[in-house]
Amino acid sequence: MDHHVVDTLISPEGRLEILSKAEVARLLDNSQGGLYNTFRNCSLAVLNCGNALDDGKELLERYKSFDISILQRERGIKLDIKGAPANAFVDGKMIKGIHEHLFAVLRDVIFVNDEIIDNPTFDLGSSEGVTDAVFHILRNAEVLRPLTNPNLVVCWGGHSISREEYDYTKKVGYELGLRSLDICTGCGPGAMKGPMKGATIAHSKQRINNGRYLGLTEPGIIAAESPNPIVNDLVILPDIEKRLEAFVRTGHGIVVFPGGAGTAEEILYILGILLHPENEEQPFPLVFTGPEAAREYFIQIDQFIGLTLGPQAQRRYKIIIDDPAQVAQEMQAGLKLVREFRKARSDAYYFNWLLKIDQEFQKPFVPTHQNMRNLHLHKDQETHLLAANLRRAFSGVVAGNVKDQGIRAIEEHGVFEIHGDTSIMGPMDALLASFVAQHRMKLPGTKYHPCYRIVK
């Protein structure tokens, strides 16, 4: 198959137009050194939008000749791009949203590395330090808007969903948009794209011209979930844990659509946080929703949560089947409570400082075979810590399914082994098996080979 490609030179608009010579020199150093691969791979992912592909490894192999480099000019920088997917261009000119996303990649991958990762003033070993880093990355991306009432709804859900489920996510986004709510997603295809599409139409009807479509991603997954160009604020956080923290600290409520292992990971993450004793008072609207066809899916998720985390966890969310308007009304009512709560405690509307996130949810988890085997999946621990470990297990399955590194590790060492109490492993096995049966692990048309084995 011939993959049409284009070469081009582009200049930044807005954020990176003015850089000092020292900053440019650092960018050049980093873009040619250790960070080049991350920078190149994220750039390729952004340019690859609209192509149905959820395999990070395959994307990198398909566009082997793709190259991006930073050119230094007296007036600043330009990006020199060779072998870019032709989809990103219209009559030879790059689509504006994609142009913006490329510079967001540059800002977040290289700038953040200098400002945060290599900066001794951030103690990434402490819980506060991680939260501070997440705050700075979001502030640097100019996505924290003071003086706006809480109205940002995070939408989670799978990249591999049926057409019917996808259309449903658009309807929910539309109902949210009609009520002047903004959308934040993981910015990929499927349940991450639908709500933004729906909200765009509703905002247009309501003459809202500053609607926000915030996309949060991370380098490991961006190749499998290319950002859709509706996203008008793209932020690439350094890892999945910081990405998840950014969702729950900037968003004011969460809607969860059907999905696979990644969605289960997100559900376990938010429930683990809400189950922390210090967050008992926090209002946090959380709705699981899908069309009638997804009823069975949510029954399975609900049962799994009941069997592993118990009824206390089940009380923190509402399941609404096939009623987009009710989802939006539920969110709107929840956001009023969030506003009152923040106001009473003088917490910022744009960043949830009060939410207690246990360090176990912040430590980057690297899904190696050994780490997956050693996960503590037993009931002899506090519920929120069990949720943290279950989240890691699903995180590993996501890596083995779609991330370049994970796919290679499985090819080399065989499948991940997951051990634990029978009372946890049984339900987990059943849940994952149902995802496989419903084609929720990979995009339709690709055969799924499990990357894990449950050892009871």
Side-chain angles (χ1 to χ4, degrees):
M1 179 183 161
D2 179 25
H3 300 295
H4 293 293
V5 293
V6 174
D7 296 347
T8 185
L9 260 183
I10 59 170
S11 311
E13 286 176 24
R15 306 203 175 133
L16 288 169
E17 261 168 322
I18 308 170
L19 290 172
S20 74
K21 286 205 160 155
E23 282 173 326
V24 172
R26 278 213 307 272
L27 284 180
L28 290 171
D29 263 4
N30 276 325
S31 69
Q32 284 146 8
L35 284 174
Y36 172 72
N37 268 331
T38 306
F39 174 50
R40 174 187 179 269
N41 299 350
C42 291
S43 299
L44 176 56
V46 161
L47 288 160
N48 186 52
C49 91
N51 290 336
L53 188 64
D54 70 339
D55 184 324
K57 180 171 172 252
E58 195 186 318
L59 173 67
L60 301 178
E61 285 173 0
R62 182 181 288 187
Y63 294 100
K64 274 206 170 90
S65 65
F66 171 73
D67 186 59
I68 181 163
S69 48
I70 301 172
L71 303 179
Q72 187 165 9
R73 295 278 188 266
E74 277 311 310
R75 288 201 314 234
I77 55 167
K78 271 187 153 47
L79 287 181
D80 184 11
I81 299 166
K82 300 229 178 337
N87 281 34
F89 299 83
V90 178
D91 301 340
K93 283 198 74 160
M94 189 178 290
I95 291 170
K96 194 130 186 201
I98 297 177
H99 183 153
E100 282 175 12
H101 290 177
L102 272 177
F103 286 96
V105 170
L106 181 59
R107 176 196 71 212
D108 292 341
V109 172
I110 294 182
F111 196 64
V112 162
N113 190 72
D114 287 340
E115 300 279 305
I116 311 280
I117 317 280
D118 292 343
N119 183 344
T121 53
F122 286 100
D123 172 15
L124 295 178
S126 77
S127 189
E128 292 73 27
V130 172
T131 298
D132 211 26
V134 169
F135 174 80
H136 277 263
I137 293 167
L138 293 167
R139 187 178 68 181
N140 179 55
E142 296 174 23
V143 297
L144 301 177
R145 307 260 172 98
L147 309 176
T148 14
N149 279 324
N151 75 334
L152 188 62
V153 178
V154 172
C155 295
W156 280 343
H159 70 285
S160 174
I161 55 175
S162 69
R163 183 75 222 184
E164 184 185 357
E165 286 169 353
Y166 175 69
D167 288 340
Y168 182 80
T169 68
K170 283 206 287 201
K171 288 179 191 151
V172 172
Y174 177 73
E175 293 292 342
L176 293 168
L178 286 176
R179 290 162 179 80
S180 309
L181 301 178
D182 287 334
I183 308 286
C184 171
T185 76
C187 82
M192 296 169 261
K193 182 164 91 173
M196 290 188 171
K197 282 204 152 176
T200 305
I201 301 297
H203 284 163
S204 176
K205 288 186 179 179
Q206 293 287 25
R207 302 294 183 262
I208 295 168
N209 50 19
N210 57 349
R212 303 188 60 196
Y213 314 104
L214 177 59
L216 305 178
T217 185
E218 48 111 358
I221 201 121
I222 190 170
E225 298 178 352
S226 288
N228 63 77
I230 295 173
V231 170
N232 55 14
D233 274 312
L234 173 67
V235 188
I236 303 167
L237 291 115
D239 50 58
I240 184 72
E241 288 75 14
K242 291 182 190 62
R243 177 195 191 191
L244 287 167
E245 180 160 347
F247 277 129
V248 300
R249 293 217 191 258
T250 48
H252 302 110
I254 298 179
V255 174
V256 183
F257 295 105
T263 307
E265 173 181 7
E266 291 167 335
I267 290 173
L268 288 161
Y269 178 83
I270 184 62
L271 288 177
I273 288 169
L274 295 177
L275 285 169
H276 195 289
E278 287 180 42
N279 293 329
E280 221 168 305
E281 306 282 286
Q282 276 261 359
F284 206 110
L286 178 58
V287 173
F288 299 175
T289 189
E292 186 54 52
R295 186 183 291 273
E296 190 50 41
Y297 170 82
F298 285 114
I299 290 172
Q300 284 162 330
I301 293 268
D302 185 49
Q303 278 174 343
F304 175 75
I305 292 166
L307 291 167
T308 53
L309 304 179
Q312 190 196 353
Q314 289 172 307
R315 281 198 286 275
R316 289 300 314 226
Y317 54 84
K318 210 174 210 166
I319 297 178
I320 297 175
I321 299 295
D322 214 15
D323 193 341
Q326 196 197 338
V327 173
Q329 286 157 353
E330 187 69 32
M331 270 296 129
Q332 212 176 14
L335 296 180
K336 281 204 178 70
L337 299 176
V338 170
R339 183 172 183 269
E340 284 160 19
F341 180 83
R342 302 261 185 109
K343 204 169 176 178
R345 287 164 182 74
S346 317
D347 192 22
Y349 287 161
Y350 53 83
F351 193 81
N352 189 343
W353 290 103
L354 289 175
L355 194 67
K356 168 74 182 163
I357 300 185
D358 194 285
Q359 224 172 336
E360 290 303 306
F361 287 93
Q362 295 175 311
K363 274 190 220 138
F365 173 70
V366 183
T368 60
H369 283 70
Q370 191 182 351
N371 288 347
M372 288 292 282
R373 211 175 349 228
N374 295 341
L375 281 175
H376 187 69
L377 300 175
H378 304 283
K379 293 229 169 148
D380 60 356
Q381 57 190 324
E382 286 180 84
T383 319
H384 67 275
L385 296 178
L386 172 58
N389 282 315
L390 280 168
R391 176 199 79 80
R392 293 181 176 122
F394 283 99
S395 199
V397 174
V398 174
N401 284 349
V402 300
K403 293 190 185 183
D404 179 47
Q405 240 176 330
I407 294 170
R408 288 178 200 272
I410 302 283
E411 283 174 2
E412 204 175 320
H413 306 291
V415 299
F416 291 135
E417 283 187 3
I418 307 173
H419 299 252
D421 289 354
T422 313
S423 63
I424 296 171
M425 291 296 101
M428 183 165 175
D429 201 11
L431 187 65
L432 284 167
S434 74
F435 292 167
V436 176
Q438 297 167 10
H439 305 294
R440 296 190 182 281
M441 294 295 211
K442 292 291 280 178
L443 287 172
T446 37
K447 183 165 169 26
Y448 180 65
H449 300 286
C451 63
Y452 62 90
R453 191 162 65 88
I454 304 275
V455 186
K456 294 181 192 149

